[in-house]
Amino acid sequence: MVLMKMKFPFEKRVKLAQCLWLLSWMATLAGAFTFTLGCFLKTELRRRAEVMDNTEIHAVPNTLMIVGLASLGINYFAGRMCQDALDAGRFPRWKTFMQPYWGVSLLFTLLMLTAVIMSYAMKGNLESSLKIGLKNGIRFYKDTDTPGRCFQKQTIDRLQMEFRCCGNTDFKDWFEVQWISNRYLDFSSKEVKDRVKSNVDGRYLFDGVPFSCCNPSSPRPCIQDRLTNNSAHYSYEHQTEELNIYIRGCREALVNYYMGLMNTIGAAVLSVFLVQSSVLVSLRYLQTAMEAVAGQENTEIETEGYLLEKGVKETIMEYVTPVLVFLQLNQVGSEDAEA
């Protein structure tokens, strides 16, 4: 059973070829746009690589870049086919090329849709990556003399100022780590000795945060240390007063930023997917309509175009059956070899 059959007079075939040529070049530009979006997202993720624990989230920009480049080639050939469709003598030379072309085109078009789905479904992976990455970043904040970690302090400080955030979950994360290096602590001081002795691991912990947590919009001079000690500051109550440091954690800030970015990119790529799908559908109609012209003396006759020569189920089975037979033969061969 032929699926979605349409009649194409000569004038309609010419108009379809011309419109498809224009659409294919639009899709080529859209492919370049997709590649650019992938590069931009990749760059943004790499900028924060030091506070991310894994690279799985790079699957989205990598997929976008691959699909964008593939789209350039797919739509270039679509444009060439549209030009040759205006000459019934030149179009048949594409016949042997069409089957692999459709396979590659469908693969990358579906991959584009996969990238859209991934961009919306990446929140959990992104959050877990940032949770561990930020935790390690805060823990290594003081290690400015340790190779491989010497820029961690600068990274965290810039991050907190840029995204107006503090800590991993909130500012209290800084209370649980020693973020001041021992080289800057006076161990002859009673306060320092008492704090180190009071901790099982011998760390210097206190209720303070780095300067980068300070909110410049606050009218009060920044209070960085003894944040939970009301008597240490004049007219101050940490439980009721809005602190003059950033309250929001950096994990929440970064997740919101990247998910907003991915959702916007996902919507843009979905539009590109629709354009690409339109190219493939239109090209299929043009191909089947032109195949009926081959061998005819009168090339201006009315022809029929369709999407599938058989039903969806029959078409799928036509491609799946040879694969299943091949796998079955390999299995039988393996069993014979073992026997």
Side-chain angles (χ1 to χ4, degrees), residues 8-61:
F8 286 91
F10 175 72
E11 294 79 8
K12 193 173 180 180
R13 288 201 305 272
V14 171
K15 188 175 291 186
L16 176 62
Q18 291 172 339
C19 292
L20 184 53
W21 179 85
L22 180 61
L23 189 61
S24 66
W25 281 109
M26 286 176 58
T28 302
L29 294 176
F33 178 62
T34 303
F35 176 76
T36 305
L37 288 177
C39 291
F40 173 70
L41 183 57
K42 182 83 171 179
T43 303
E44 285 297 298
L45 289 172
R46 288 182 68 87
R47 283 181 63 198
R48 313 294 172 197
E50 292 183 0
V51 292
M52 293 184 182
D53 181 56
N54 60 55
T55 57
E56 290 179 12
I57 50 177
H58 287 268
V60 175

CSV table of all heavy atoms in Angstrom, one decimal, residues 8-61:
chain,number,residue,atom,x,y,z
A,8,PHE,N,1.6,15.0,-9.3
A,8,PHE,CA,2.5,16.1,-9.7
A,8,PHE,C,2.5,16.4,-11.2
A,8,PHE,O,3.2,15.7,-11.9
A,8,PHE,CB,3.9,15.8,-9.2
A,8,PHE,CG,4.1,15.8,-7.7
A,8,PHE,CD1,3.9,14.7,-6.9
A,8,PHE,CD2,4.4,17.0,-7.1
A,8,PHE,CE1,4.0,14.8,-5.5
A,8,PHE,CE2,4.6,17.1,-5.7
A,8,PHE,CZ,4.4,16.0,-4.9
A,9,PRO,N,1.7,17.4,-11.6
A,9,PRO,CA,1.9,17.8,-13.0
A,9,PRO,C,3.3,18.4,-13.2
A,9,PRO,O,4.0,18.7,-12.2
A,9,PRO,CB,0.8,18.9,-13.1
A,9,PRO,CG,-0.1,18.6,-12.0
A,9,PRO,CD,0.7,18.1,-10.9
A,10,PHE,N,3.7,18.7,-14.4
A,10,PHE,CA,5.0,19.2,-14.7
A,10,PHE,C,5.3,20.5,-14.0
A,10,PHE,O,6.3,20.7,-13.4
A,10,PHE,CB,5.2,19.4,-16.2
A,10,PHE,CG,6.5,20.0,-16.6
A,10,PHE,CD1,7.7,19.3,-16.5
A,10,PHE,CD2,6.5,21.4,-17.0
A,10,PHE,CE1,8.9,19.9,-16.8
A,10,PHE,CE2,7.7,22.0,-17.4
A,10,PHE,CZ,8.9,21.3,-17.3
A,11,GLU,N,4.3,21.4,-14.0
A,11,GLU,CA,4.5,22.7,-13.4
A,11,GLU,C,4.7,22.6,-11.9
A,11,GLU,O,5.5,23.3,-11.2
A,11,GLU,CB,3.3,23.6,-13.7
A,11,GLU,CG,3.1,24.1,-15.1
A,11,GLU,CD,2.4,23.0,-15.9
A,11,GLU,OE1,2.0,21.9,-15.3
A,11,GLU,OE2,2.4,23.1,-17.2
A,12,LYS,N,4.0,21.6,-11.3
A,12,LYS,CA,4.1,21.4,-9.8
A,12,LYS,C,5.4,20.8,-9.5
A,12,LYS,O,6.0,21.2,-8.4
A,12,LYS,CB,2.9,20.5,-9.4
A,12,LYS,CG,2.7,20.5,-7.9
A,12,LYS,CD,1.5,19.7,-7.5
A,12,LYS,CE,1.3,19.6,-6.0
A,12,LYS,NZ,0.1,18.9,-5.6
A,13,ARG,N,5.9,19.9,-10.3
A,13,ARG,CA,7.3,19.4,-10.1
A,13,ARG,C,8.3,20.4,-10.1
A,13,ARG,O,9.3,20.5,-9.3
A,13,ARG,CB,7.6,18.3,-11.1
A,13,ARG,CG,6.8,17.0,-10.9
A,13,ARG,CD,7.5,15.8,-11.6
A,13,ARG,NE,7.8,16.0,-13.0
A,13,ARG,CZ,6.9,15.8,-14.0
A,13,ARG,NH1,5.7,15.2,-13.7
A,13,ARG,NH2,7.2,16.0,-15.3
A,14,VAL,N,8.2,21.3,-11.1
A,14,VAL,CA,9.2,22.4,-11.3
A,14,VAL,C,9.2,23.3,-10.0
A,14,VAL,O,10.2,23.7,-9.5
A,14,VAL,CB,8.9,23.2,-12.5
A,14,VAL,CG1,9.8,24.5,-12.6
A,14,VAL,CG2,9.2,22.4,-13.8
A,15,LYS,N,7.9,23.7,-9.6
A,15,LYS,CA,7.8,24.5,-8.5
A,15,LYS,C,8.3,23.9,-7.2
A,15,LYS,O,8.9,24.5,-6.3
A,15,LYS,CB,6.3,24.9,-8.3
A,15,LYS,CG,6.0,26.0,-7.2
A,15,LYS,CD,4.6,26.4,-7.1
A,15,LYS,CE,4.2,27.2,-8.4
A,15,LYS,NZ,2.8,27.7,-8.3
A,16,LEU,N,8.1,22.5,-7.1
A,16,LEU,CA,8.6,21.8,-5.9
A,16,LEU,C,10.1,21.8,-5.9
A,16,LEU,O,10.7,22.0,-4.8
A,16,LEU,CB,8.0,20.3,-5.9
A,16,LEU,CG,8.6,19.4,-4.9
A,16,LEU,CD1,8.1,19.9,-3.5
A,16,LEU,CD2,8.0,18.0,-5.1
A,17,ALA,N,10.7,21.6,-7.1
A,17,ALA,CA,12.2,21.6,-7.1
A,17,ALA,C,12.7,22.9,-6.8
A,17,ALA,O,13.7,23.0,-6.0
A,17,ALA,CB,12.6,21.2,-8.5
A,18,GLN,N,12.1,24.0,-7.2
A,18,GLN,CA,12.6,25.3,-6.9
A,18,GLN,C,12.5,25.7,-5.5
A,18,GLN,O,13.4,26.2,-4.8
A,18,GLN,CB,11.9,26.4,-7.8
A,18,GLN,CG,12.2,26.3,-9.3
A,18,GLN,CD,11.3,27.2,-10.1
A,18,GLN,OE1,10.2,27.5,-9.7
A,18,GLN,NE2,11.8,27.5,-11.4
A,19,CYS,N,11.3,25.4,-4.9
A,19,CYS,CA,11.1,25.7,-3.5
A,19,CYS,C,12.0,24.8,-2.6
A,19,CYS,O,12.5,25.3,-1.6
A,19,CYS,CB,9.6,25.4,-3.1
A,19,CYS,SG,8.4,26.5,-3.9
A,20,LEU,N,12.2,23.6,-3.0
A,20,LEU,CA,13.1,22.7,-2.2
A,20,LEU,C,14.5,23.1,-2.3
A,20,LEU,O,15.3,23.0,-1.3
A,20,LEU,CB,12.9,21.2,-2.8
A,20,LEU,CG,13.7,20.2,-2.0
A,20,LEU,CD1,13.4,20.2,-0.5
A,20,LEU,CD2,13.4,18.8,-2.6
A,21,TRP,N,14.9,23.7,-3.4
A,21,TRP,CA,16.3,24.2,-3.6
A,21,TRP,C,16.5,25.3,-2.6
A,21,TRP,O,17.5,25.4,-1.8
A,21,TRP,CB,16.5,24.7,-5.0
A,21,TRP,CG,17.9,25.3,-5.2
A,21,TRP,CD1,19.0,24.6,-5.5
A,21,TRP,CD2,18.2,26.7,-5.1
A,21,TRP,NE1,20.1,25.5,-5.6
A,21,TRP,CE2,19.6,26.8,-5.3
A,21,TRP,CE3,17.5,27.9,-4.8
A,21,TRP,CZ2,20.3,28.0,-5.3
A,21,TRP,CZ3,18.2,29.1,-4.7
A,21,TRP,CH2,19.6,29.1,-5.0
A,22,LEU,N,15.5,26.2,-2.5
A,22,LEU,CA,15.6,27.3,-1.5
A,22,LEU,C,15.6,26.8,-0.1
A,22,LEU,O,16.3,27.2,0.8
A,22,LEU,CB,14.4,28.3,-1.7
A,22,LEU,CG,14.4,29.5,-0.8
A,22,LEU,CD1,15.6,30.4,-1.0
A,22,LEU,CD2,13.1,30.3,-1.1
A,23,LEU,N,14.7,25.8,0.2
A,23,LEU,CA,14.6,25.3,1.5
A,23,LEU,C,15.8,24.5,1.9
A,23,LEU,O,16.2,24.6,3.1
A,23,LEU,CB,13.4,24.3,1.6
A,23,LEU,CG,12.9,23.8,3.0
A,23,LEU,CD1,12.5,24.9,3.9
A,23,LEU,CD2,11.8,22.8,2.8
A,24,SER,N,16.5,23.9,1.0
A,24,SER,CA,17.7,23.1,1.3
A,24,SER,C,18.8,24.1,1.7
A,24,SER,O,19.6,23.8,2.6
A,24,SER,CB,18.1,22.3,0.1
A,24,SER,OG,18.5,23.1,-1.0
A,25,TRP,N,18.9,25.3,1.1
A,25,TRP,CA,19.9,26.2,1.5
A,25,TRP,C,19.6,26.9,2.8
A,25,TRP,O,20.5,27.2,3.6
A,25,TRP,CB,20.1,27.3,0.4
A,25,TRP,CG,20.9,26.8,-0.8
A,25,TRP,CD1,20.5,26.5,-2.0
A,25,TRP,CD2,22.3,26.5,-0.7
A,25,TRP,NE1,21.5,26.0,-2.8
A,25,TRP,CE2,22.7,26.0,-2.0
A,25,TRP,CE3,23.3,26.6,0.2
A,25,TRP,CZ2,23.9,25.7,-2.3
A,25,TRP,CZ3,24.6,26.2,-0.1
A,25,TRP,CH2,24.9,25.8,-1.4
A,26,MET,N,18.3,27.0,3.1
A,26,MET,CA,17.9,27.5,4.4
A,26,MET,C,18.3,26.4,5.5
A,26,MET,O,18.8,26.8,6.6
A,26,MET,CB,16.4,27.7,4.5
A,26,MET,CG,15.9,28.9,3.8
A,26,MET,SD,14.1,29.0,3.8
A,26,MET,CE,13.8,29.0,5.6
A,27,ALA,N,18.1,25.1,5.2
A,27,ALA,CA,18.5,24.1,6.1
A,27,ALA,C,20.1,24.0,6.2
A,27,ALA,O,20.6,23.6,7.3
A,27,ALA,CB,18.0,22.7,5.6
A,28,THR,N,20.8,24.4,5.2
A,28,THR,CA,22.3,24.4,5.2
A,28,THR,C,22.7,25.5,6.2
A,28,THR,O,23.6,25.2,7.1
A,28,THR,CB,22.9,24.7,3.9
A,28,THR,OG1,22.4,23.7,2.9
A,28,THR,CG2,24.4,24.7,3.9
A,29,LEU,N,22.1,26.6,6.1
A,29,LEU,CA,22.4,27.7,7.1
A,29,LEU,C,22.0,27.3,8.5
A,29,LEU,O,22.7,27.6,9.5
A,29,LEU,CB,21.6,29.0,6.7
A,29,LEU,CG,22.1,29.6,5.4
A,29,LEU,CD1,21.2,30.8,5.1
A,29,LEU,CD2,23.6,30.1,5.5
A,30,ALA,N,20.8,26.6,8.6
A,30,ALA,CA,20.4,26.1,9.9
A,30,ALA,C,21.4,25.1,10.5
A,30,ALA,O,21.6,25.0,11.7
A,30,ALA,CB,19.0,25.5,9.8
A,31,GLY,N,22.0,24.3,9.6
A,31,GLY,CA,23.0,23.3,10.1
A,31,GLY,C,24.2,24.0,10.6
A,31,GLY,O,24.8,23.6,11.6
A,32,ALA,N,24.6,25.1,9.9
A,32,ALA,CA,25.8,25.9,10.4
A,32,ALA,C,25.4,26.5,11.7
A,32,ALA,O,26.3,26.6,12.6
A,32,ALA,CB,26.1,27.0,9.4
A,33,PHE,N,24.2,27.0,11.9
A,33,PHE,CA,23.7,27.6,13.1
A,33,PHE,C,23.7,26.5,14.3
A,33,PHE,O,24.2,26.8,15.4
A,33,PHE,CB,22.3,28.1,12.9
A,33,PHE,CG,21.7,28.7,14.2
A,33,PHE,CD1,22.2,29.8,14.8
A,33,PHE,CD2,20.5,28.1,14.7
A,33,PHE,CE1,21.6,30.3,15.9
A,33,PHE,CE2,19.9,28.7,15.8
A,33,PHE,CZ,20.5,29.8,16.4
A,34,THR,N,23.3,25.3,13.9
A,34,THR,CA,23.4,24.2,14.9
A,34,THR,C,24.8,23.9,15.4
A,34,THR,O,25.1,23.8,16.6
A,34,THR,CB,22.7,22.9,14.3
A,34,THR,OG1,21.4,23.2,13.9
A,34,THR,CG2,22.7,21.8,15.4
A,35,PHE,N,25.7,23.9,14.4
A,35,PHE,CA,27.1,23.7,14.8
A,35,PHE,C,27.6,24.8,15.7
A,35,PHE,O,28.4,24.6,16.6
A,35,PHE,CB,27.9,23.6,13.5
A,35,PHE,CG,29.4,23.5,13.7
A,35,PHE,CD1,30.0,22.3,14.1
A,35,PHE,CD2,30.3,24.6,13.5
A,35,PHE,CE1,31.3,22.2,14.3
A,35,PHE,CE2,31.6,24.5,13.8
A,35,PHE,CZ,32.2,23.2,14.2
A,36,THR,N,27.3,26.0,15.4
A,36,THR,CA,27.7,27.2,16.2
A,36,THR,C,27.1,27.1,17.6
A,36,THR,O,27.8,27.4,18.6
A,36,THR,CB,27.2,28.5,15.5
A,36,THR,OG1,27.7,28.6,14.2
A,36,THR,CG2,27.7,29.7,16.3
A,37,LEU,N,25.9,26.7,17.7
A,37,LEU,CA,25.3,26.5,19.1
A,37,LEU,C,26.0,25.5,19.8
A,37,LEU,O,26.2,25.6,21.1
A,37,LEU,CB,23.8,26.1,18.9
A,37,LEU,CG,22.8,27.2,18.5
A,37,LEU,CD1,21.4,26.6,18.3
A,37,LEU,CD2,22.8,28.4,19.4
A,38,GLY,N,26.4,24.4,19.2
A,38,GLY,CA,27.1,23.3,19.8
A,38,GLY,C,28.5,23.8,20.3
A,38,GLY,O,28.9,23.5,21.5
A,39,CYS,N,29.2,24.6,19.5
A,39,CYS,CA,30.5,25.2,19.9
A,39,CYS,C,30.3,26.1,21.1
A,39,CYS,O,31.1,26.1,22.0
A,39,CYS,CB,31.1,25.9,18.7
A,39,CYS,SG,31.6,24.8,17.3
A,40,PHE,N,29.3,26.9,21.0
A,40,PHE,CA,29.0,27.9,22.1
A,40,PHE,C,28.8,27.2,23.4
A,40,PHE,O,29.4,27.5,24.5
A,40,PHE,CB,27.9,28.8,21.8
A,40,PHE,CG,27.4,29.7,22.9
A,40,PHE,CD1,28.2,30.8,23.3
A,40,PHE,CD2,26.2,29.5,23.6
A,40,PHE,CE1,27.8,31.6,24.3
A,40,PHE,CE2,25.8,30.3,24.6
A,40,PHE,CZ,26.6,31.3,25.0
A,41,LEU,N,27.9,26.1,23.4
A,41,LEU,CA,27.6,25.4,24.6
A,41,LEU,C,28.8,24.6,25.1
A,41,LEU,O,29.1,24.6,26.3
A,41,LEU,CB,26.5,24.4,24.3
A,41,LEU,CG,26.0,23.6,25.5
A,41,LEU,CD1,25.5,24.5,26.7
A,41,LEU,CD2,24.8,22.7,25.1
A,42,LYS,N,29.6,24.1,24.2
A,42,LYS,CA,30.9,23.4,24.6
A,42,LYS,C,31.8,24.3,25.3
A,42,LYS,O,32.4,24.0,26.3
A,42,LYS,CB,31.5,22.8,23.3
A,42,LYS,CG,32.8,22.0,23.5
A,42,LYS,CD,32.5,20.6,23.9
A,42,LYS,CE,33.7,19.8,23.9
A,42,LYS,NZ,33.4,18.4,24.3
A,43,THR,N,32.0,25.6,24.8
A,43,THR,CA,32.8,26.6,25.4
A,43,THR,C,32.4,26.9,26.7
A,43,THR,O,33.2,27.0,27.7
A,43,THR,CB,32.9,27.8,24.5
A,43,THR,OG1,33.3,27.4,23.2
A,43,THR,CG2,33.9,28.8,25.0
A,44,GLU,N,31.1,27.1,26.9
A,44,GLU,CA,30.5,27.5,28.2
A,44,GLU,C,30.7,26.4,29.2
A,44,GLU,O,31.0,26.7,30.4
A,44,GLU,CB,29.0,27.8,28.1
A,44,GLU,CG,28.7,29.2,27.4
A,44,GLU,CD,29.2,30.3,28.2
A,44,GLU,OE1,28.8,30.5,29.4
A,44,GLU,OE2,30.1,31.0,27.7
A,45,LEU,N,30.6,25.2,28.8
A,45,LEU,CA,30.8,24.0,29.7
A,45,LEU,C,32.2,23.9,30.1
A,45,LEU,O,32.6,23.6,31.3
A,45,LEU,CB,30.3,22.7,29.1
A,45,LEU,CG,28.7,22.6,29.0
A,45,LEU,CD1,28.4,21.4,28.2
A,45,LEU,CD2,28.1,22.5,30.4
A,46,ARG,N,33.1,24.1,29.2
A,46,ARG,CA,34.6,24.0,29.4
A,46,ARG,C,35.1,25.1,30.4
A,46,ARG,O,36.0,24.9,31.1
A,46,ARG,CB,35.4,24.0,28.1
A,46,ARG,CG,35.2,22.7,27.3
A,46,ARG,CD,36.1,22.8,26.1
A,46,ARG,NE,37.5,22.8,26.4
A,46,ARG,CZ,38.2,21.7,26.5
A,46,ARG,NH1,37.6,20.5,26.4
A,46,ARG,NH2,39.5,21.7,26.8
A,47,ARG,N,34.4,26.3,30.3
A,47,ARG,CA,34.8,27.4,31.2
A,47,ARG,C,34.6,27.0,32.7
A,47,ARG,O,35.3,27.5,33.5
A,47,ARG,CB,33.9,28.6,30.9
A,47,ARG,CG,34.3,29.4,29.6
A,47,ARG,CD,33.4,30.6,29.5
A,47,ARG,NE,33.5,31.5,30.6
A,47,ARG,CZ,32.6,32.4,30.9
A,47,ARG,NH1,31.5,32.5,30.2
A,47,ARG,NH2,32.8,33.2,31.9
A,48,ARG,N,33.6,26.1,32.9
A,48,ARG,CA,33.4,25.7,34.3
A,48,ARG,C,33.8,24.3,34.6
A,48,ARG,O,33.3,23.6,35.5
A,48,ARG,CB,31.9,25.8,34.6
A,48,ARG,CG,31.2,27.1,34.2
A,48,ARG,CD,31.8,28.3,34.9
A,48,ARG,NE,31.3,29.5,34.4
A,48,ARG,CZ,31.8,30.7,34.6
A,48,ARG,NH1,32.9,30.8,35.4
A,48,ARG,NH2,31.3,31.8,34.0
A,49,ALA,N,34.7,23.8,33.8
A,49,ALA,CA,35.2,22.4,33.9
A,49,ALA,C,35.8,22.0,35.3
A,49,ALA,O,35.7,20.9,35.7
A,49,ALA,CB,36.2,22.0,32.8
A,50,GLU,N,36.4,23.1,35.9
A,50,GLU,CA,37.0,22.8,37.2
A,50,GLU,C,36.0,22.6,38.3
A,50,GLU,O,36.4,22.1,39.4
A,50,GLU,CB,37.9,24.0,37.6
A,50,GLU,CG,39.1,24.1,36.7
A,50,GLU,CD,40.0,25.3,37.1
A,50,GLU,OE1,39.7,26.0,38.1
A,50,GLU,OE2,41.1,25.5,36.4
A,51,VAL,N,34.8,22.9,38.1
A,51,VAL,CA,33.8,22.7,39.1
A,51,VAL,C,32.7,21.7,38.7
A,51,VAL,O,31.6,21.6,39.2
A,51,VAL,CB,33.0,24.0,39.6
A,51,VAL,CG1,34.0,25.0,40.3
A,51,VAL,CG2,32.4,24.7,38.4
A,52,MET,N,33.1,20.9,37.7
A,52,MET,CA,32.2,19.8,37.2
A,52,MET,C,33.0,18.5,37.4
A,52,MET,O,34.2,18.4,37.1
A,52,MET,CB,31.8,20.0,35.8
A,52,MET,CG,30.9,21.2,35.6
A,52,MET,SD,30.3,21.4,33.9
A,52,MET,CE,29.4,22.9,34.0
A,53,ASP,N,32.3,17.5,37.8
A,53,ASP,CA,32.9,16.2,38.1
A,53,ASP,C,33.1,15.3,37.0
A,53,ASP,O,34.0,14.4,37.0
A,53,ASP,CB,32.1,15.5,39.2
A,53,ASP,CG,32.7,14.2,39.7
A,53,ASP,OD1,33.9,14.2,40.1
A,53,ASP,OD2,32.1,13.2,39.6
A,54,ASN,N,32.2,15.4,35.9
A,54,ASN,CA,32.3,14.4,34.8
A,54,ASN,C,32.1,15.2,33.5
A,54,ASN,O,31.7,16.3,33.5
A,54,ASN,CB,31.4,13.3,34.9
A,54,ASN,CG,29.9,13.7,35.0
A,54,ASN,OD1,29.4,14.4,34.1
A,54,ASN,ND2,29.2,13.3,36.1
A,55,THR,N,32.4,14.5,32.4
A,55,THR,CA,32.2,15.1,31.1
A,55,THR,C,31.0,14.5,30.3
A,55,THR,O,30.9,14.8,29.1
A,55,THR,CB,33.5,14.8,30.3
A,55,THR,OG1,33.7,13.4,30.2
A,55,THR,CG2,34.7,15.5,30.9
A,56,GLU,N,30.1,13.8,31.0
A,56,GLU,CA,29.0,13.2,30.3
A,56,GLU,C,28.1,14.3,29.7
A,56,GLU,O,27.4,14.1,28.6
A,56,GLU,CB,28.2,12.4,31.2
A,56,GLU,CG,28.9,11.1,31.6
A,56,GLU,CD,28.1,10.2,32.6
A,56,GLU,OE1,26.9,10.5,32.8
A,56,GLU,OE2,28.7,9.3,33.1
A,57,ILE,N,28.0,15.5,30.4
A,57,ILE,CA,27.1,16.5,29.9
A,57,ILE,C,27.6,17.1,28.6
A,57,ILE,O,26.9,17.9,27.9
A,57,ILE,CB,27.0,17.7,30.9
A,57,ILE,CG1,28.3,18.1,31.4
A,57,ILE,CG2,26.1,17.2,32.1
A,57,ILE,CD1,28.3,19.2,32.4
A,58,HIS,N,28.9,16.8,28.2
A,58,HIS,CA,29.4,17.3,26.9
A,58,HIS,C,28.8,16.5,25.7
A,58,HIS,O,29.1,16.9,24.6
A,58,HIS,CB,30.9,17.2,26.9
A,58,HIS,CG,31.6,18.2,27.7
A,58,HIS,ND1,32.0,19.4,27.3
A,58,HIS,CD2,31.9,18.2,29.0
A,58,HIS,CE1,32.6,20.1,28.2
A,58,HIS,NE2,32.6,19.4,29.3
A,59,ALA,N,28.0,15.5,26.0
A,59,ALA,CA,27.3,14.7,24.9
A,59,ALA,C,26.4,15.6,24.1
A,59,ALA,O,26.3,15.4,22.9
A,59,ALA,CB,26.6,13.6,25.5
A,60,VAL,N,25.8,16.6,24.8
A,60,VAL,CA,24.8,17.5,24.1
A,60,VAL,C,25.6,18.4,23.1
A,60,VAL,O,25.2,18.3,21.9
A,60,VAL,CB,24.0,18.3,25.1
A,60,VAL,CG1,23.1,19.3,24.3
A,60,VAL,CG2,23.2,17.5,26.0
A,61,PRO,N,26.6,19.2,23.5
A,61,PRO,CA,27.3,20.0,22.5
A,61,PRO,C,28.0,19.2,21.4
A,61,PRO,O,28.0,19.6,20.2
A,61,PRO,CB,28.2,20.8,23.3
A,61,PRO,CG,28.4,20.1,24.6
A,61,PRO,CD,27.1,19.4,24.8
